[in-house]
Amino acid sequence: MPQLPEDGDRQQQLPLVRSLISRVPIHVLFCNRSPRTVQLLWINFQGQPVSYGLLKPQTARRMNTYVGHPWMFRDAQTDDPMLVNNKEMYLPSARDNNQAPVVITLPVYSLRERCLQVVRKLVCIEDFSRLEIARTLQEDLSQKPNIQSDLRRISKRVEQRLLQNREAQNT
């Protein structure tokens, strides 16, 4: 189970998307309703993903976690993001305890993103530049899905929302 941060870790600048210290345990059921094997990722106190193993298609796993501990789910083979209860991230709250299952599904990909996934699967990365396609598509192909970039993007969105809320309160 996730551990509390050490004192030395608290002095550095922490990302907005991270686990918060909580003493409220939550018992959830992660249900993989997709055709893909999913990697379960807890976002630790420093905002880093920690793997809690794989969940095969159409299976479920009971998990003990805490209120305020975010989870993300990725395709184990491609690292493509998965949806959890139709969102990018699952953040347990007290009302989730032993309630409805936490459902992991495939997102609806755009045609462009789905095509990039298929080409990544069929063509070696060294051969992307040899494909007779636009340079921008070659660049997009080389930018594989990455949980770190997704965490940065989500953190920026959270920061923008916090700033908007602060501005709304000051007006």
Side-chain angles (χ1 to χ4, degrees):
M1 201 65 251
Q3 298 294 313
L4 294 175
E6 296 177 14
D7 289 337
D9 294 339
R10 295 179 195 199
Q11 294 174 356
Q12 64 188 21
Q13 180 69 24
L14 294 171
L16 290 173
V17 178
R18 67 182 189 280
S19 286
L20 302 175
I21 295 172
S22 172
R23 306 246 186 263
V24 183
I26 297 293
H27 309 286
V28 296
L29 181 66
F30 291 143
C31 295
N32 182 2
R33 300 271 166 84
S34 81
R36 311 241 181 120
T37 298
V38 173
Q39 185 174 27
L40 309 174
L41 296 161
W42 168 63
I43 310 304
N44 72 13
F45 297 99
Q46 291 76 40
Q48 297 300 312
V50 176
S51 178
Y52 269 74
L54 303 177
L55 190 57
K56 296 210 178 283
Q58 306 304 320
T59 62
R61 179 177 303 156
R62 291 209 177 279
M63 187 66 67
N64 297 321
T65 187
Y66 292 88
V67 167
H69 284 210
W71 290 81
M72 293 179 75
F73 305 88
R74 309 293 284 198
D75 181 308
Q77 185 177 19
T78 65
D79 202 30
D80 287 312
M82 304 293 287
L83 290 181
V84 54
N85 294 344
N86 293 316
K87 297 180 181 180
E88 291 182 282
M89 182 178 288
Y90 172 65
L91 187 63
S93 68
R95 69 179 177 276
D96 294 341
N97 204 18
N98 290 320
Q99 295 299 316
V102 177
V103 179
I104 304 161
T105 58
L106 275 173
V108 176
Y109 295 110
S110 69
L111 179 59
R112 183 176 190 282
E113 186 57 41
R114 185 65 187 125
C115 288
L116 289 170
Q117 289 174 347
V118 170
V119 172
R120 282 186 195 114
K121 190 173 185 175
L122 297 175
V123 179
C124 294
I125 194 167
E126 307 84 49
D127 295 332
F128 290 166
S129 62
R130 295 184 198 150
L131 295 174
E132 293 183 16
I133 57 175
R135 171 79 57 211
T136 56
L137 286 175
Q138 291 174 350
E139 291 168 0
D140 288 348
L141 279 170
S142 63
Q143 294 176 359
K144 291 180 66 174
N146 179 317
I147 192 166
Q148 294 296 341
S149 61
D150 287 349
L151 281 169
R152 284 190 296 274
R153 180 180 45 76
I154 293 169
S155 285
K156 284 182 183 180
R157 255 194 356 236
V158 169
E159 183 178 17
Q160 288 171 345
R161 199 169 295 151
L162 289 171
L163 290 172
Q164 289 171 347
N165 290 346
R166 184 182 301 161
E167 288 174 4
Q169 289 175 352
N170 291 338
T171 56

